Amino acid sequence: MSLNQPVLLDIQLPAKEIILQKFNVNNGLNLVVDDFDFGTPTVYVPTTVGSKLNTKVTLTPKLSSKYYNSFDVFYTRMDIHSILSNNVTVPRDGALVLTDLISSINTLFGIHLVGSDYVEKTLPALDPMDPDAPVDVLVEMKPESLLFFGTHTLTLNSIGGSGEE
């Protein structure tokens, strides 16, 4: 089942909520996230020319659910580079690992990254003489991220806040 119809999404919600919310709107249903297990997303190559769908995930009803049979959902994951390349300054604020920055990134960019979305990184050592010096960190999405894919080099403590992809 395809999620190809335009629906406004709140990408500050958890990924499973977003996917099922759009699925419900496109199919006139009212399914609930707690009733399903989400499989690992896989790359999908559409057969329709011009389709932007790039992901397939299988939803399987939980044993406690009233539903039967698994089904595939086809949708478009977002490239993290297109989101993090906006002119926003992300302060380091003494962060030692990427996880220390995720709350700020989520707030500044209006998204909902969680630990299962990104590869944890240790940030370069703080310069004691200049703790606010710009520093690059590679933000890399895990293949199993339900909503995001790709990488982006984010420059912390820098006006514009973004390096190259």
Side-chain angles (χ1 to χ4, degrees), residues 78-86 109 138-141 148-154 162-165:
M78 294 174 278
D79 185 349
I80 197 67
H81 176 71
S82 67
I83 295 169
L84 299 184
S85 62
N86 293 317
F109 293 95
L138 180 67
V139 180
E140 178 182 3
M141 297 298 99
F148 305 99
F149 73 94
T151 63
H152 179 74
T153 300
L154 189 63
S162 299
E164 294 299 314
E165 182 176 16

Side-chain angles (χ1 to χ4, degrees):
M1 295 180 192
S2 169
L3 300 186
N4 213 12
Q5 298 302 314
V7 176
L8 293 176
L9 300 175
D10 180 355
I11 64 171
Q12 294 181 32
L13 294 173
K16 291 177 183 180
E17 290 284 344
I18 293 169
I19 293 167
L20 205 53
Q21 182 183 73
K22 186 166 182 180
F23 180 82
N24 284 336
V25 168
N26 283 339
N27 294 286
L29 298 171
N30 195 22
L31 302 178
V32 179
V33 169
D34 293 339
D35 284 334
F36 297 92
D37 288 320
F38 283 64
T40 301
T42 58
V43 173
Y44 168 72
V45 179
T47 56
T48 306
V49 174
S51 175
K52 294 183 180 184
L53 301 175
N54 63 18
T55 304
K56 176 182 91 168
V57 68
T58 301
L59 274 61
T60 304
K62 293 181 179 177
L63 291 177
S64 59
S65 163
K66 65 181 179 180
Y67 302 107
Y68 299 94
N69 296 331
S70 298
F71 58 94
D72 293 330
V73 176
F74 300 88
Y75 61 101
T76 305
R77 280 192 280 181
M78 294 174 278
D79 185 349
I80 197 67
H81 176 71
S82 67
I83 295 169
L84 299 184
S85 62
N86 293 317
N87 286 333
V88 175
T89 300
V90 179
R92 182 168 182 169
D93 291 335
L96 302 175
V97 293
L98 182 58
T99 297
D100 297 340
L101 299 171
I102 293 301
S103 178
S104 292
I105 289 171
N106 284 342
T107 300
L108 291 167
F109 293 95
I111 58 177
H112 188 81
L113 289 174
V114 295
S116 59
D117 286 322
Y118 61 90
V119 176
E120 180 65 282
K121 303 281 181 172
T122 301
L123 303 180
L126 277 168
D127 179 351
M129 300 304 287
D130 189 6
D132 293 327
V135 62
D136 289 343
V137 59
L138 180 67
V139 180
E140 178 182 3
M141 297 298 99
K142 291 180 179 176
E144 60 269 16
S145 173
L146 285 169
L147 209 53
F148 305 99
F149 73 94
T151 63
H152 179 74
T153 300
L154 189 63
T155 304
L156 306 176
N157 298 328
S158 172
I159 295 174
S162 299
E164 294 299 314
E165 182 176 16

